[in-house]
Amino acid sequence: MKITLACAGGMSTGMLVKKMEEYASSQGIEADISACGLSELEERVTGSDIILLGPQVGYQQEDVKKEYPEIPVLVIEMMDYGMMNGEKVFKKAQEVIAAKSK
């Protein structure tokens, strides 16, 4: 499973990636999770199962969906982002990926 997080600069999402990786590892789930700035998304998105957008760039969701129509795009909930709730964000990404593959 490949999850790509995009935010304004890629810095704050880096901490969330670490929390998501810790959760995935604790569950024995192999996941490739990375963070980047929205401007770098094109170079990083290949092979992604989902694109997660930081709340600060959530207004770009429709543009990102148009750019990558084959990849689900989800805006991370502000509360989960602020609390760096890697488990909840990872589980939500899993749900969306599972729903798409049905």
Side-chain angles (χ1 to χ4, degrees):
M1 167 185 331
K2 182 175 177 183
I3 301 172
T4 303
L5 283 77
C7 70
M11 304 295 256
S12 52
T13 48
M15 293 183 286
L16 184 56
V17 165
K18 203 169 208 47
K19 299 277 187 181
M20 291 173 70
E21 288 173 335
E22 288 169 7
Y23 173 75
S25 178
S26 76
Q27 300 300 303
I29 301 169
E30 197 172 309
D32 175 6
I33 309 169
S34 64
C36 64
L38 200 54
S39 61
E40 305 164 53
L41 190 57
E42 189 175 342
E43 299 128 42
R44 307 283 290 279
V45 76
T46 304
S48 294
D49 294 300
I50 190 168
I51 299 169
L52 300 179
L53 298 178
Q56 70 276 39
V57 294
Y59 67 94
Q60 296 273 21
Q61 185 177 22
E62 289 308 312
D63 291 340
V64 175
K65 280 182 176 181
K66 284 178 192 160
E67 188 75 27
Y68 308 102
E70 69 287 353
I71 305 171
V73 179
L74 181 70
V75 177
I76 300 167
E77 293 287 329
M78 180 67 84
M79 181 68 83
D80 296 334
Y81 191 84
M83 301 293 287
M84 291 288 145
N85 190 337
E87 177 180 343
K88 194 166 178 194
V89 174
F90 186 85
K91 285 180 175 178
K92 185 65 180 171
Q94 277 184 305
E95 284 175 27
V96 173
I97 292 167
K100 182 184 184 274
S101 62
K102 285 184 179 176

